[in-house]
């Protein structure tokens, strides 16, 4: 029997109802049990389906602030830490950095301000993920900083490593004038690589796509290897990820000056269908919106 996930906002309201009921019972219920239940509920939000971008944008700030508050009281909750890191990363990309891109041609000052805000949000997401990994494995950051050092990642660590690396990559991409931040690129790549070696199929191709983007970004990176990784992402998603097509368009076709391939890849992204209740529905809608914007500006990009 198919299970239908509740939309994100009703799930959030349900979580708040759980908290309210728990507080009424707090005289006889341990506080940590209450917080643990709410942490579980908030962590599950990241798996909820949603296609209304405006609803998602409006609900996200309160949800993120609540998640941070609960996470401070439950620092060892890996699921909530990963969901919080994901939330900040997705919000920065979908609603802040993208708006900056759209404003570039008409208001460069506003676009710059939005990019600085997006960078702060990416950093916040990264820091939540790295703090959780450090709590789970004391000395994690020091080991990560050593090239060639072996990092052991458990299954619960992979979402943290993925979102930590993705947020780090987003931060670096918006920090061209901050050499110390850009210098962290090898660390972000190393974090993604450790996750890749543990679970290359993570996220139905999301990790493969991130690896492709890092391959394009790193000095001396191989476009051919990046293209293979983007193709892996498309294959692993079963063709259900619009993001994989957009990533290949921006990471391979655009730098190569291949407008025909760029347009074809973006059209593939627009054609990606969403199954009912798909956990990728919101991400796909975000990427379809970007694909439409890129297609509308293709003449200026080539």
């Amino acid at each position: 029997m198919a299970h239908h996930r509740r939309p994100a906002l009703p799930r959030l309201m349900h979580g708040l109802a759980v908290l309210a009921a728990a507080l009424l019972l707090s005289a006889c219920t341990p506080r940590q049990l209450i917080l643990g239940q709410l942490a579980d509920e908030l962590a599950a939000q990241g798996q909820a389906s949603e296609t209304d971008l405006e609803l998602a944008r409006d609900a996200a700030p309160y949800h993120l602030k609540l998640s941070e508050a609960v996470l401070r009281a439950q620092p060892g909750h890996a699921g909530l830490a990963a969901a919080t890191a994901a939330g900040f990363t997705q919000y920065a990309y979908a609603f802040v950095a993208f708006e900056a891109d759209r404003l570039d041609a008409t208001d460069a000052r506003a676009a710059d301000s939005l990019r600085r805000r997006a960078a702060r949000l990416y950093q916040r997401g990264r820091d939540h993920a790295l703090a959780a990994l450090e709590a789970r494995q004391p000395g994690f950051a020091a080991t990560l900083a050593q090239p060639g050092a072996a990092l052991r990642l458990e299954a619960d660590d992979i979402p943290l490593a993925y979102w930590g690396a993705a947020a780090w990559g987003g931060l670096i991409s918006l920090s061209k004038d901050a050499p110390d931040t850009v210098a962290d690129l090898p660390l972000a790549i190393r974090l993604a690589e450790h996750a890749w070696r543990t679970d290359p199929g993570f996220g139905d191709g999301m990790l493969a796509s991130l690896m492709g983007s890092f391959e394009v970004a790193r000095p001396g990176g191989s476009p051919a290897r990046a293209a293979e990784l983007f193709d892996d992402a498309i294959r692993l998603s079963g063709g259900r990820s619009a993001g994989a097509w957009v990533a290949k368009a921006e990471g391979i076709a655009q730098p190569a000056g291949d407008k025909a391939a760029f347009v074809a890849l973006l059209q593939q992204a627009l054609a990606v269908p969403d199954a009912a209740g798909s956990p990728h529905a919101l991400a796909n809608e975000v990427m379809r919106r970007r694909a439409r914007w890129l297609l509308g500006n293709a003449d200026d990009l080539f």
Side-chain angles (χ1 to χ4, degrees), residues 27-113:
C28 57
T29 305
R31 179 173 181 272
Q32 287 304 111
L33 177 59
I34 297 170
L35 290 169
Q37 291 172 340
L38 181 56
D40 289 342
E41 180 68 23
L42 288 169
Q45 296 293 314
Q47 302 170 9
S49 62
E50 180 57 71
T51 58
D52 188 320
L53 294 186
E54 300 305 314
L55 179 62
R57 184 196 64 194
D58 293 345
Y62 183 77
H63 176 263
L64 289 171
K65 290 296 292 180
L66 178 60
S67 296
E68 282 191 316
V70 176
L71 189 57
R72 281 194 292 271
Q74 292 274 305
H77 198 294
L80 180 56
T84 304
F88 275 105
T89 305
Q90 293 167 321
Y91 185 83
Y93 179 84
F95 303 120
V96 186
F98 177 67
E99 186 61 21
D101 289 343
R102 297 202 323 170
L103 282 174
D104 260 335
T106 57
D107 193 338
R109 181 174 296 181
D112 180 66
S113 178

Side-chain angles (χ1 to χ4, degrees), residues 142-153:
T143 304
L144 181 64
Q146 300 174 19
L151 275 175
R152 178 178 53 83
L153 294 177

Side-chain angles (χ1 to χ4, degrees), residues 88 118-128 167-168 171 181:
F88 275 105
R120 293 193 297 271
L121 293 168
Y122 279 132
Q123 183 171 355
R124 211 152 152 179
R126 179 204 65 179
D127 290 350
H128 282 304
W168 213 339
L171 170 62
T181 301

